[in-house]
Amino acid sequence: MSEWRLTRLKGEFCVTWDEADGVRRRYRLGTTDQKEAHRRAASRYAELTRPKGTTIADLWKAYTLDREGRAVLVTMKFTWKALEARFGPMEGTAVTVLDCRAHTAERGKAGIQDGTIHTELGHLRTVLVWAEKNGLIERAPHVERPAKPDPKDAYLKREEVAKLMACAKAHHVRLAILLMIGTGARNAAALELTWDRVDFDRRLINLRNPFDGTRRKGRATVPVNDTLLAALQEAKEGALSPFVIEWAGTPVKSIKKGLKAAATAAHLQHVSPHMLRHSAAVWLAEDGHSMTRIAQFLGHANSRITEKVYARYSPDHLRDLANSLDVSPMGAVGSYRTKGPVAVKS
């Protein structure tokens, strides 16, 4: 089914689209104002084309149509492949805890980690709750999930990143490593970065693409350090495309293979693109920067997210609380002896 478009009928705007079989559909929007017509058209189109069934397959399709353009739908394409066989034909209200446990057991036997299963069943829950709120089903059943794993603690030290870069054979992989470490950028944000968002004069990088309407996790505008600035200036001179991370004039979709090869050569294990962002945040916490400032740098909407993951790496985290519990009469850390017996009043 093709996208909708605006047409007119006797001066009034309509939402119009062509079905897969070639049949053209047209519905009045009740307005002659173009801006208002655009506002009404998207929701009207979603309502008219939404699958009418109540199986989970129908509800999943309806949800993806309603949430079109959101970044999460990319991940949901993969989670649906894992869920479809068991849950697809099932009625939305028929899901039970036993069904969820059976899915968890089956995926676990296949070697799938609990974190992935947690995400799969979480997407199922999201769709069912959305279906209830939109009146497609009477009740969203409880979806039981395995416990969400704690955030991974693994990160790279500065000397390990230097070794990783030295072992990276391809120039675009080295630049990507330096970019993600120097800005704390997520993998997608780094690979999608274009030169028009690199301000060499003010030494700033805008990781958010203003022309991208997709709702994504927070992306910040961050300053550029000396080392990254020099690398970017060198790369810009030889640039063959609008993208900062490119290969032979084409944007790079993934650096996983090149990063894995560099990590193997550097004798480092389990290195991933996200580990570079995680490492950058850990370094900032270790250097004693406030969680509020680190949150701004990382593009976190709420500093509580930052504190939950990175506060424990800060050398001053909770130190003032520990000092408040010092029982030494002189306040000397490590001293617990007193000059004599302590009198206790009865």
Side-chain angles (χ1 to χ4, degrees), residues 160 163-165 167-169 256-272:
E160 290 176 326
K163 191 174 182 181
L164 185 68
M165 291 183 59
C167 293
K169 296 181 179 180
K256 289 183 179 179
K257 185 179 294 185
L259 190 62
K260 182 177 180 180
T264 300
H267 303 290
L268 299 171
Q269 295 183 341
H270 309 301
V271 177
S272 67

Side-chain angles (χ1 to χ4, degrees), residues 154-176:
Y155 67 95
L156 298 172
K157 298 178 180 179
R158 286 174 170 83
E159 58 269 22
E160 290 176 326
V161 170
K163 191 174 182 181
L164 185 68
M165 291 183 59
C167 293
K169 296 181 179 180
H171 177 269
H172 71 276
V173 175
R174 292 195 299 273
L175 182 60

Side-chain angles (χ1 to χ4, degrees), residues 90-331:
M90 192 180 296
E91 284 293 315
T93 56
V95 177
T96 67
V97 169
L98 292 178
D99 293 319
C100 299
R101 291 177 181 174
H103 176 79
T104 299
E106 180 182 9
R107 297 289 280 163
K109 288 181 180 179
I112 307 302
Q113 299 295 319
D114 280 355
T116 300
I117 303 171
H118 180 93
T119 299
E120 293 169 356
L121 292 172
H123 286 167
L124 174 62
R125 179 180 180 276
T126 297
V127 169
L128 293 175
V129 170
W130 172 88
E132 179 185 345
K133 288 181 178 178
N134 284 271
L136 302 181
I137 57 176
E138 293 184 1
R139 175 188 57 85
H142 173 66
V143 175
E144 183 180 277
R145 297 184 286 173
K148 186 176 182 179
D150 293 331
K152 293 182 179 179
D153 289 331
Y155 67 95
L156 298 172
K157 298 178 180 179
R158 286 174 170 83
E159 58 269 22
E160 290 176 326
V161 170
K163 191 174 182 181
L164 185 68
M165 291 183 59
C167 293
K169 296 181 179 180
H171 177 269
H172 71 276
V173 175
R174 292 195 299 273
L175 182 60
I177 294 171
L178 193 58
L179 179 62
M180 281 187 266
I181 281 290
T183 65
R186 293 182 174 86
N187 178 54
L191 298 184
E192 293 170 4
L193 180 64
T194 49
W195 287 113
D196 60 309
R197 288 182 281 130
V198 179
D199 189 332
F200 286 101
D201 294 330
R202 296 193 298 162
R203 297 177 58 147
L204 292 173
I205 290 178
N206 180 9
L207 294 170
R208 174 69 178 175
N209 182 357
F211 302 106
D212 185 358
T214 303
R215 294 184 61 179
R216 301 184 184 276
K217 293 182 178 179
R219 295 184 179 184
T221 296
V222 295
V224 179
N225 60 50
D226 292 340
T227 303
L228 178 56
L229 179 65
L232 289 171
Q233 288 173 333
E234 180 182 352
K236 183 66 170 68
E237 291 179 1
L240 299 175
S241 80
F243 291 88
V244 174
I245 308 300
E246 65 171 0
W247 172 253
T250 59
V252 175
K253 299 298 183 182
S254 173
I255 64 164
K256 289 183 179 179
K257 185 179 294 185
L259 190 62
K260 182 177 180 180
T264 300
H267 303 290
L268 299 171
Q269 295 183 341
H270 309 301
V271 177
S272 67
H274 183 73
M275 187 183 287
L276 298 173
R277 171 179 164 86
H278 180 57
S279 300
V282 170
W283 296 359
L284 293 174
E286 288 179 338
D287 286 349
H289 297 290
S290 72
M291 292 297 113
T292 300
R293 297 182 71 200
I294 295 175
Q296 292 175 348
F297 196 87
L298 296 176
H300 287 168
N302 193 319
S303 62
R304 286 181 297 180
I305 301 172
T306 317
E307 291 173 3
K308 180 179 179 181
V309 180
Y310 298 109
R312 63 182 179 274
Y313 296 105
S314 173
D316 297 322
H317 180 52
L318 305 182
R319 189 175 299 280
D320 56 336
L321 276 70
N323 290 339
S324 296
L325 301 177
D326 191 342
V327 297
S328 168
M330 301 301 293

Side-chain angles (χ1 to χ4, degrees), residues 18-64:
D18 297 320
E19 299 280 3
D21 57 6
V23 176
R24 179 165 297 177
R25 302 293 182 187
R26 181 173 63 183
Y27 292 85
R28 295 176 184 269
L29 294 171
T31 180
T32 57
D33 181 79
Q34 187 172 10
K35 183 179 293 186
E36 177 64 15
H38 268 289
R39 189 187 71 80
R40 297 181 185 182
S43 59
R44 185 67 172 141
Y45 172 77
E47 178 185 352
L48 292 168
T49 58
R50 181 180 295 162
K52 305 303 181 184
T54 55
T55 67
I56 292 178
D58 294 326
L59 300 177
W60 193 281
K61 184 177 180 181
Y63 178 87
T64 56

